[in-house]
Amino acid sequence: MELVIDIGNTRIKYAGITNGQIQTKGYCTEVELHSRLNAFSGKVDNIMLSTVKPVSEAILIELTECCTNNLVLSSDMEMPFKNDYETPKTIGADRLALAAGGMFKFPKKDVLIVDVGTCMTFDFVDAKATYHGGAISPGLQMRLKALNEFTGNLPLIALQEPINLIGRNTKESILSGVVNGMLKELDGIIDVYKLRYPEMKIILTGGDLAFFDKKLKNSIFADADTLLKGMYFILKQNANKKI
């Protein structure tokens, strides 16, 4: 079994994967990570860590205690695709994993991977296995917080489905603007990509997947585990190259 761990902006995701199939997965906090690693100790052959934050020495020690064969995902690794990004050193580990996850699902196809999490990201890999880049914009929670923090009177609203298209009060207006605005942004950007790549496959993933997977006019493949699968794909390619 291989263990992949993703430390994101808001939570930690992990999965135990064998022969490309997820056997177990879950979420935890950084405090809980120690107990999760203890549960996997002696049961995994390799570990890959992906993080959007600096890796603490304590976490690296805990990884080694769980399994001596461990890797931290970075752009220095060999990837299952050609990286054509102009500044490859600046690309986040999460986006590399998402690109690999798209190829894992749709090899030899043009594929756009859309992650709707803390940020909304678009990552495009063509049918010749070349990663081109994409786009980054604020996610739902970030948009709600921005309206509160950068205005004098707008409240911080908890995320939920908009009741009406036409908001009848401030709360309804914010939810309509944020959720419906992001929905139209998603469909609009996908439309432009499809003009260039008509046979393109689209994968939607991320923590806010449930808000959009049934609402988009475009045909998409919804998969909450795209990032974890992409990490596994990269891990298998680099398992014997300890970093």
Side-chain angles (χ1 to χ4, degrees):
M1 181 186 291
E2 321 295 336
L3 176 61
V4 294
I5 304 168
D6 172 58
I7 301 178
N9 288 298
T10 56
R11 60 184 177 177
I12 297 175
K13 303 183 286 288
Y14 63 88
I17 305 178
T18 302
N19 296 325
Q21 300 298 315
I22 293 178
Q23 306 300 315
T24 181
K25 64 178 180 177
Y27 303 96
C28 68
T29 65
E30 193 164 324
V31 173
E32 295 167 334
L33 181 59
H34 178 71
S35 62
R36 297 296 193 278
L37 287 171
N38 279 342
F40 281 105
S41 183
K43 300 177 182 177
V44 295
D45 299 314
N46 301 282
I47 298 176
M48 172 166 278
L49 176 72
S50 169
T51 178
V52 297
K53 306 172 184 178
V55 186
S56 71
E57 187 66 27
I59 288 179
L60 291 176
I61 291 172
E62 290 181 352
L63 289 176
T64 303
E65 289 175 348
C66 178
C67 176
T68 55
N69 299 319
N70 56 77
L71 300 166
V72 178
L73 178 55
S74 76
S75 59
D76 294 326
M77 287 183 170
E78 183 179 334
M79 295 292 156
F81 49 81
K82 176 187 174 185
N83 192 341
D84 202 34
Y85 205 58
E86 286 187 358
T87 54
K89 297 289 186 182
T90 68
I91 189 168
D94 55 339
R95 294 182 68 193
L96 292 171
L98 289 167
M103 287 188 60
F104 186 80
K105 179 62 183 177
F106 294 113
K108 299 181 180 179
K109 300 285 186 181
D110 294 328
V111 57
L112 179 68
I113 307 95
V114 185
D115 185 290
V116 282
T118 302
C119 293
M120 176 168 65
T121 61
F122 295 80
D123 291 286
F124 179 74
V125 183
D126 69 22
K128 296 180 180 179
T130 298
Y131 173 78
H132 293 269
I136 305 172
S137 69
L140 288 175
Q141 294 285 4
M142 196 179 295
R143 295 175 193 223
L144 291 171
K145 289 178 181 177
L147 288 174
N148 172 244
E149 292 180 10
F150 294 103
T151 64
N153 296 311
L154 292 178
L156 179 60
I157 301 298
L159 180 60
Q160 63 186 75
E161 291 279 0
I163 298 173
N164 298 304
L165 173 64
I166 302 173
R168 300 293 299 275
N169 54 54
T170 301
K171 177 181 177 180
E172 289 183 5
S173 296
I174 289 174
L175 289 172
S176 178
V178 167
V179 178
N180 290 317
M182 191 163 159
L183 176 63
K184 294 304 179 183
E185 181 180 343
L186 278 164
D187 261 329
I189 292 176
I190 290 171
D191 282 345
V192 175
Y193 269 91
K194 291 188 75 173
L195 287 174
R196 294 189 183 186
Y197 305 97
E199 303 302 316
M200 178 184 73
K201 303 294 183 181
I202 305 154
I203 298 175
L204 188 67
T205 190
D208 290 327
L209 173 63
F211 275 85
F212 301 108
D213 64 335
K214 304 299 183 185
K215 300 181 181 69
L216 292 171
K217 69 178 183 181
N218 286 285
S219 176
I220 58 114
F221 178 82
D223 183 6
D225 300 322
T226 300
L227 187 147
L228 298 173
K229 293 173 182 176
M231 290 180 65
Y232 171 82
F233 197 9
I234 298 170
L235 173 57
K236 295 301 288 184
Q237 191 159 340
N238 291 272
N240 297 319
K241 304 169 186 176
K242 188 173 181 179
I243 294 178

